[in-house]
Amino acid sequence: MWQEKDNILYRSFEFKDFSEAFAFMTRVALIAEKQNHHPRWTNVWNKVEIWLNTHDAGNKVTDKDWKLAQAIDKLG
């Protein structure tokens, strides 16, 4: 579930292993590129953390962030 705090949307995802986590990141990257809205994220082994906000809007959460978050949720 996405959490909105301090003008950032955040969510953590956990997978079976690194391969599944990396495959998820690849799918997210394709969506982000289509939407021209790119996340800040980290990956350590089976865990992916994603932070979203809109830099062009003064680093605030906007509809662009929610749209990307909803698209990411559909992957799982």
Side-chain angles (χ1 to χ4, degrees):
M1 178 162 125
W2 291 93
Q3 301 169 17
E4 185 174 352
K5 183 179 178 187
D6 298 328
N7 294 314
I8 295 174
L9 278 183
Y10 169 81
R11 183 161 179 197
S12 175
F13 298 85
E14 208 165 300
F15 300 91
K16 183 179 80 172
D17 55 27
F18 176 77
S19 210
E20 281 189 12
F22 193 84
F24 170 77
M25 291 179 75
T26 301
R27 293 191 304 272
V28 171
L30 294 172
I31 292 168
E33 193 63 20
K34 278 184 185 177
Q35 293 187 11
N36 193 30
H37 192 54
H38 305 92
R40 177 168 51 110
W41 58 9
T42 62
N43 166 239
V44 177
W45 189 59
N46 71 332
K47 186 175 183 179
V48 176
E49 293 180 275
I50 301 176
W51 295 266
L52 300 174
N53 66 8
T54 303
H55 305 293
D56 295 347
N59 292 317
K60 300 203 185 240
V61 175
T62 67
D63 288 340
K64 288 176 80 172
D65 302 299
W66 283 108
K67 181 180 176 187
L68 181 54
Q70 289 169 353
I72 292 169
D73 285 346
K74 290 179 183 175
L75 296 174

